[in-house]
Amino acid sequence: DTNIFARILRRELPARIVYEDEHALAFHDINPQAPLHLLVIPKGAYVSWDDFSARASEAEIAGFVRAVGHVAREAGLVAPGYRLLANTGGHGHQEVPHLHVHLFGGRQFGAMLVD
């Protein structure tokens, strides 16, 4: 309840929101790692993909996946291509304990992300 994304969902912290529906919220990352760097988060309190896939309803899962696709289309990322990234746990370098998907676009990316 105290992580940055929970606080953004409650509108306690500002965000440059690009999309919102009953299942998801999308906004610009405050520390962009690409020319376009958006985050999409579910509105439910899910820590990771594992948590989300185990506990979320079918409607939440479908709504979240559709929201990610919608945000990518609206941002004009589909034709040139983009990268999705979801970090999970310590080894995955997850910094915020709330499921979130990064959408990176606006330039050509290499084969893989590197440290």
Side-chain angles (χ1 to χ4, degrees):
D1 287 341
T2 60
N3 72 65
I4 190 169
F5 296 155
R7 295 181 68 203
I8 288 171
L9 282 168
R10 291 192 303 266
R11 303 303 201 264
E12 294 172 3
L13 294 174
R16 291 178 40 215
I17 296 170
V18 298
Y19 178 77
E20 181 173 16
D21 67 16
E22 65 183 294
H23 299 293
L25 182 72
F27 50 92
H28 288 269
D29 193 292
I30 62 170
N31 184 25
Q33 302 298 304
L36 184 61
H37 184 173
L38 302 171
L39 297 170
V40 185
I41 63 174
K43 287 192 168 178
Y46 301 105
V47 174
S48 65
W49 273 111
D50 178 64
D51 183 33
F52 184 65
S53 66
R55 295 190 312 110
S57 70
E58 297 295 321
E60 288 175 298
I61 293 169
F64 182 68
V65 171
R66 286 189 177 108
V68 172
H70 177 84
V71 169
R73 284 189 301 279
E74 289 295 308
L77 296 175
V78 176
Y82 59 98
R83 178 166 287 162
L84 291 176
L85 174 69
N87 299 320
T88 301
H91 283 194
H93 197 60
Q94 183 178 4
E95 295 178 359
V96 179
H98 187 110
L99 172 61
H100 57 287
V101 173
H102 298 261
L103 277 82
F104 300 104
R107 70 171 172 87
Q108 176 72 47
F109 295 102
M112 296 294 293
L113 292 176
V114 295
D115 287 358

